[in-house]
Amino acid sequence: MKRDFLSIRQYQSDEIRELLKVAHSLKKELKAGVGKRTLEGKTLAMVFQKPSNRTRISFEVGMYQLGGTVVFIKPDEIRMGEREPIADIARVMSRYVDAVMIRTFSHKDLEEFANYATVPVINGLSDCYHPCQALADIMTIEERFGSAAGRKIVYVGDGNNVCHSLVNIAGKVDAEIVVCCPEGYEPDKDCMCGNWTLSHDPQQAVKGADVVYTDVWTSMGQEEETERRLKEFQGYSITTELMFRASDKAIFMHCLPAHRGEEVAADVVESAASVIFDQAENRLHAQKAVLQALLAS
Ligand code: CP
Ligand code: NVA
């Protein structure tokens, strides 16, 4: 039976912990120059319906490092559901490649694709989830604190795809998670599992936080709401003053790309507390762990 990686929710706590353990090992092996080519002869198709820097490059480099190869499919190429039904694309691609990574808008489309595909499907970002990001995030927290268990993570901003996956993974690794957003921008309960706390007061929410996390206020596909969101998210920026309310050793996290002067102040991005480039790097190692788990025979 093939297995997919569409959301953190599909995975048990021990499976998430195992992926994280492998990701840390892969990082050490790569740095020591002793990485293994466990996916020799395997091909990953990468379908993008939105732009990307980290997801595209980290998957592509990850496959090469593991001895495999990739086919990159640009947003205007297959035109999922327009030029051809999703079900047909999934069945055709399954005849050519060993796994498919998709970045798309509708999570339902992704699920439909996965239902018809006979090879593993990986979510590279949908409107509901960003599970690869969440794995890299916890990996980064573990590097900084030894373990994520018992740590207080405060997500300040839009209750979006990144937020949902962060909430879901926090529960799997026994971290405490608080979501702090303006009214009307709460996360979707149908996309989440585990325990989480809701706040509408950033000053209060970040008190004693080990991790302060944010993401853009306007996600890809919501561009026409930009002006309204800029107004409604006032007071939710991560500033140096806000970081002072967190714990002394608190770290600042962002999945990137970051909009300086909106969800985060430029000096926070550049501060010693900021681990954003470790997060970005860890996408590579975390995704290699996922690829190996789904593909290595
Ligand atoms: N964080 C993230 O997924 O970045 P990209 O959109 O650049 O892939
Ligand atoms: N929430 C953002 C994440 C980008 C990585 C978006 O969906 O555009």
Side-chain angles (χ1 to χ4, degrees):
M1 263 291 274
K2 67 123 176 177
R3 190 137 189 227
D4 302 311
F5 190 71
L6 302 187
S7 78
I8 297 292
R9 301 175 70 170
Q10 298 175 300
Y11 283 73
Q12 303 295 325
S13 184
D14 58 339
E15 294 173 318
I16 294 292
R17 287 174 203 273
E18 180 59 23
L19 285 172
L20 287 162
K21 198 171 119 198
V22 173
H24 286 293
S25 300
L26 287 168
K27 184 169 183 174
K28 284 198 191 89
E29 285 169 18
L30 183 72
K31 306 263 177 207
V34 295
K36 296 179 201 75
R37 294 167 67 86
T38 51
L39 298 185
E40 197 94 53
K42 305 275 187 190
T43 302
L44 174 74
M46 308 196 305
V47 179
F48 281 87
Q49 297 196 297
K50 304 175 189 174
S52 169
N53 173 10
R54 284 145 288 272
T55 306
R56 189 252 162 109
I57 300 174
S58 54
F59 265 108
E60 186 158 344
V61 170
M63 275 303 282
Y64 292 148
Q65 287 177 353
L66 294 173
T69 191
V70 298
V71 179
F72 174 66
I73 299 136
K74 285 188 292 198
D76 57 345
E77 258 169 16
I78 53 168
R79 305 212 313 274
M80 275 222 283
E82 284 173 42
R83 183 170 181 265
E84 232 175 331
I86 290 172
D88 290 2
I89 302 172
R91 285 175 288 186
V92 170
M93 274 197 192
S94 299
R95 302 290 180 104
Y96 299 135
V97 301
D98 301 285
V100 183
M101 188 242 70
I102 306 184
R103 166 168 286 196
T104 189
F105 291 92
S106 158
H107 192 72
K108 285 209 165 38
D109 287 356
L110 189 58
E111 286 177 333
E112 186 184 346
F113 191 103
N115 281 342
Y116 282 95
T118 54
V119 297
V121 178
I122 301 171
N123 182 357
L125 182 75
S126 66
D127 56 2
C128 266
Y129 301 119
H130 202 357
C132 298
Q133 181 69 53
L135 259 192
D137 295 341
I138 297 299
M139 190 182 167
T140 310
I141 293 171
E142 289 178 343
E143 285 176 342
R144 290 289 163 147
F145 295 108
S147 162
R151 295 291 166 185
K152 180 178 177 184
I153 304 171
V154 181
Y155 176 94
V156 182
D158 187 24
N160 62 14
N161 41 17
V162 168
C163 173
H164 294 149
S165 289
L166 191 65
V167 167
N168 292 341
I169 203 164
K172 305 282 180 190
V173 297
D174 297 326
E176 180 190 345
I177 177 110
V178 179
V179 177
C180 180
C181 58
E183 282 184 41
Y185 293 94
E186 290 82 4
D188 181 348
K189 291 194 178 70
D190 292 342
C191 294
M192 298 197 297
C193 61
N195 295 324
W196 57 286
T197 311
L198 180 67
S199 164
H200 295 301
D201 181 353
Q203 303 291 326
Q204 198 59 35
V206 301
K207 267 194 194 160
D210 297 299
V211 177
V212 179
Y213 197 122
T214 192
D215 183 17
V216 291
W217 291 339
T218 305
S219 286
M220 290 181 273
Q222 299 175 327
E223 287 77 8
E224 76 283 2
E225 297 175 24
T226 305
E227 219 170 297
R228 174 160 57 83
R229 285 171 172 266
L230 276 173
K231 282 196 201 106
E232 296 189 348
F233 279 86
Q234 284 312 306
Y236 286 81
S237 296
I238 310 300
T239 58
T240 303
E241 294 69 40
L242 195 68
M243 287 300 293
F244 274 134
R245 301 180 75 86
S247 126
D248 288 352
K249 298 205 168 61
I251 55 173
F252 168 71
M253 300 185 79
H254 194 311
C255 59
L256 302 179
H259 294 168
R260 290 160 173 83
E262 292 183 22
E263 76 276 2
V264 60
D267 52 355
V268 174
V269 170
E270 304 300 336
S271 70
S274 174
V275 296
I276 57 176
F277 300 114
D278 292 334
Q279 273 178 274
E281 177 188 338
N282 287 337
R283 293 288 304 278
L284 171 68
H285 312 298
Q287 287 157 197
K288 282 167 73 179
V290 172
L291 288 165
Q292 277 196 169
L294 298 180
L295 280 173
S297 40

